[in-house]
Amino acid sequence: AHPAQPPHDQASFASQPSASPSAGSYASRDKAGVPDVPDLKLDDTLGLPTTGEYYEARIAARTLGAMFYTPSDLSDDLLSRVPPNVVASLGDRPVVSYIAADSAAFNAGVHVGHVVLQVNGSDVSEPEGCAYAIREASRPMTLRCYIPPHLKLTVCEGKHKVKYDSREMFAPCTAIEWKTKYVTVGGIVAKPWMMNMYYSKRDYDIAIKEAHARRRISVKIKQFDLRGARIVVKHRDGKPNLVDYKTERKPWFYFTILPEKGYPIKISSHSLEGLEPVYAAVRKFVRKDMQDRYSGQLAESFGDDGTQGVNQRFGERSVDSYWK
């Protein structure tokens, strides 16, 4: 069992707190900044964008199987590709940030990124109040929800073939050498720099539920620290590598993570679309980590404002783990 990240104080798993963020496209998701929607119009009643959609979900089960965060909590991950003025218009309203497979919420049509406005006709304005209202609501329960416009979500998980127990930098010789794992980057039961691998999506759902119940996690988790890691691909344009096995109908796409400690980690998928969420999430963290380390070295040498002169060690050869 592995220690879980303490739950956020504003959110809810079927009446308890939290969320599950991160991802996009290897070519586009790393672009800094998403522009505002020009001339965004808000309705006079709720102050929400007029181009969004409303619906009602009727739920009879006691357990909802969903978690919530405020929009600002999710602006750097799940909602990172949503225009900032759309995110700001949502205020502190509860955004669905995780849905358990085959849960009551999922079966009722509630999905990640949707915003809960009312529980049985009563307004909810933030995640904690929403969680309380859901716990206390009579069943069957009606949720009034809102789908924001321009809702391009960033998720950082998926089922993949992986290889992490050998020194080889690139794909193994046969397809049978890969293991199937459910891979997540950051999220609820890990710090932002941790990549977790589970036996299945079901095990991931169990880990989330146990973490938010503040119980010891009972499922097995393979954990990798991405701090100081670098991504290894053969193509200069950053596209994932390709391997063609005679036993498989289609080539596999994969990329390699070289951590500071341990063997290289290979992650693959049958399609670029399938590999994209985890690949983009890892790439996003690695880039940010590299920038933070570089900024830290500058501050150490010149001071935060660049006016403190040269550090005594300035000029010494330094080893950057990204360029070994």
Side-chain angles (χ1 to χ4, degrees), residues 120-176:
N120 280 351
S122 298
D123 293 343
V124 290
S125 58
E126 41 79 33
E128 190 174 6
C130 180
Y132 178 80
I134 289 172
R135 284 195 299 269
E136 300 299 315
S138 60
R139 298 320 195 247
M141 169 182 64
T142 300
L143 301 181
R144 186 166 188 252
C145 302
Y146 174 77
I147 306 175
H150 307 279
L151 189 62
K152 296 181 180 180
L153 298 178
T154 300
V155 291
C156 63
E157 59 190 63
K159 184 178 180 180
H160 295 282
K161 295 286 188 178
V162 302
K163 179 74 173 173
Y164 49 76
D165 55 1
S166 66
R167 295 182 182 275
E168 287 74 29
M169 189 70 69
F170 297 105
C173 297
T174 62
I176 198 171

Side-chain angles (χ1 to χ4, degrees), residues 79-91:
L79 301 181
S80 62
R81 292 191 297 161
V82 178
N85 57 345
V86 172
V87 175
S89 72
L90 303 178

Side-chain angles (χ1 to χ4, degrees), residues 170-171 178 240-243 252-256 266-268 275:
F170 297 105
W178 296 85
N241 303 318
L242 198 64
V243 59
W252 292 8
F253 294 91
Y254 78 95
F255 68 101
T256 302
K266 279 84 69 179
I267 302 176
S268 70
L275 189 62

